[in-house]
Every structure is written in structure tokens, then in C-alpha cells.
Amino acid sequence: MKNVLFVFLAACLACTAPVIADEGFDGEKMKAALDDQPSDHQLRYLFRHPAETLEFFGVAPGSVVVEALPGGGWYSRILASYLGPEGQLV
């Protein structure tokens, strides 16, 4: 089963190209998205560095983001707020 999952994920990554919106990373919109999260989620910012991580990967409002194995959805909540109505979270 692990091999099937690995092959599936590898195939997904090989077949997708990043789509980045023209305007680039928006620090103000990221700050608003982070401030909008519950306080227990905000406590994790010190260790997870969400703004720096998403800026490193070039995620911008309006981007199409494919999140593999989202787990509890910690980043999903941030991304949904940050990408806005013109973006897409898969």
C-alpha cells in the first residue's frame, strides 16, 4: 500500500506545474490571513513560520495550490483565507 501511495504522489507531482499569480507574494494579505486564525493556531507560528514558508514557495493571492496530505488542515485554513476568491486550494 505504501508503494501505491508513493507512486501516486510522485505521479501527481510530476504532472503538475506551479501556477503563480502575477502580483506575487502579498505580505499585507498574509498578515490579515494569519491574524484571522484561532489563537491556538497562532501559537504555532513561532515554530512553523507560515508566512516565510509560503513566500519561499511563491504562493500569491490568486494562485492554484495543491496541498498533499493536509492532515488537520492547519495550512489549509491559512491558504483558504490568503488565496482569496480568485485563488484555488485543491
Side-chain angles (χ1 to χ4, degrees):
M1 182 65 176
K2 289 181 187 177
N3 292 337
V4 173
L5 180 60
F6 177 74
V7 170
F8 173 74
L9 290 175
C12 288
L13 291 174
C15 295
T16 57
V19 178
I20 299 173
D22 291 334
E23 62 267 5
F25 184 81
D26 185 342
E28 290 181 21
K29 190 163 186 180
M30 175 55 67
K31 183 176 177 350
L34 294 175
D35 289 345
D36 190 38
Q37 302 306 310
S39 60
D40 61 327
H41 285 214
Q42 292 182 18
L43 293 174
R44 300 178 188 175
Y45 296 169
L46 178 64
F47 304 104
R48 292 190 176 181
H49 309 283
E52 294 85 351
T53 301
L54 297 174
E55 182 177 15
F56 173 81
F57 285 109
V59 178
S63 295
V64 176
V65 177
V66 177
E67 188 176 12
L69 305 171
W74 190 83
Y75 266 103
S76 299
R77 292 180 62 124
I78 295 170
L79 285 166
S81 180
Y82 176 66
L83 295 175
E86 62 279 351
Q88 186 176 3
L89 177 60
V90 180

